[in-house]
Amino acid sequence: MSAKDAFFQKLETNANAQKEGEEAFKRDVLAFQEDTNVLIQEIMGWFAGSPVTTSASTTQVTEGTDRFEVSNLTLKNGNKTLKITPEGLYYFGVIGSLEVAIHNPGRAPGTSKFNLHWKDGISKLSGWVIVSGGIGNAPAQRTEFNQENFFKMITAFA
């Protein structure tokens, strides 16, 4: 094979790899958007019929040079607020991260936070994962996302 043929073969291989990477990114974005929306709807359902008010909307997320919309959720309980907002798509060992921030002016500290990871390769748990702690040298705690574990994490919102 001539150098020219090898060059054009490499060119085609690289172009195909780039196209596949772009397609994989689009698939990840769409699946993250869909699964986040399902999660938000599920959490809203848990508060139906309670004095807690819920409001869902979308937030723009930037990943590299790409931007896309992802669902977010705000819960209000008197003067307390819980917000679930998307942080980003790709992190080390994680695909898709949401931040859960609880603002309670009657407590110190007034704001507490934890994360929900969509695909957490570090924990090997399937589905959404609750991630908390990890301050300083302490490892983050990872637990399966379910109704019981979520309500344990949001006691400051009660």
Side-chain angles (χ1 to χ4, degrees), residues 1-15:
M1 176 183 311
S2 72
K4 179 182 174 185
D5 291 341
F7 172 83
F8 283 108
Q9 184 178 22
K10 180 77 171 170
L11 189 70
E12 183 179 351
T13 300
N14 289 343

Side-chain angles (χ1 to χ4, degrees), residues 12 14-15 20 24 43 59 78 87 90 94 98 111 126 135 138 140 145 148-149 153:
E12 183 179 351
N14 289 343
E20 177 51 39
I43 292 171
T59 300
E87 285 191 307
Y90 295 123
V94 174
L98 307 175
T111 301
S126 62
I135 299 170
F145 175 86
E148 182 72 15
N149 290 339
M153 294 297 297

Side-chain angles (χ1 to χ4, degrees), residues 67-102:
R67 294 179 184 201
F68 51 93
E69 298 283 323
V70 179
S71 297
N72 65 40
L73 178 63
T74 300
L75 305 175
K76 293 214 178 268
N77 178 22
N79 65 346
K80 301 169 206 144
T81 306
L82 185 152
K83 292 186 176 189
I84 301 175
T85 54
E87 285 191 307
L89 190 62
Y90 295 123
Y91 294 93
F92 296 105
V94 174
I95 301 175
S97 179
L98 307 175
E99 179 184 78
V100 180
I102 301 168

Side-chain angles (χ1 to χ4, degrees), residues 25-140:
F25 173 76
K26 288 177 186 176
R27 286 191 301 272
D28 284 347
V29 167
L30 184 60
F32 180 55
Q33 288 170 318
E34 290 172 352
D35 286 358
T36 299
N37 191 48
V38 168
L39 176 78
I40 296 295
Q41 295 303 316
E42 179 179 13
I43 292 171
M44 287 176 73
W46 294 344
F47 290 94
S50 79
V52 173
T53 60
T54 63
S55 172
S57 62
T58 59
T59 300
Q60 191 170 85
V61 175
T62 302
E63 193 69 42
T65 59
D66 294 296
R67 294 179 184 201
F68 51 93
E69 298 283 323
V70 179
S71 297
N72 65 40
L73 178 63
T74 300
L75 305 175
K76 293 214 178 268
N77 178 22
N79 65 346
K80 301 169 206 144
T81 306
L82 185 152
K83 292 186 176 189
I84 301 175
T85 54
E87 285 191 307
L89 190 62
Y90 295 123
Y91 294 93
F92 296 105
V94 174
I95 301 175
S97 179
L98 307 175
E99 179 184 78
V100 180
I102 301 168
H103 180 67
N104 181 344
R107 287 185 67 163
T111 301
S112 58
K113 296 179 181 182
F114 62 93
N115 292 86
L116 299 174
H117 290 172
W118 178 50
K119 293 184 178 179
D120 188 310
I122 298 165
S123 68
K124 306 296 187 225
L125 293 169
S126 62
W128 289 94
V129 177
I130 297 171
V131 182
S132 61
I135 299 170
N137 290 334

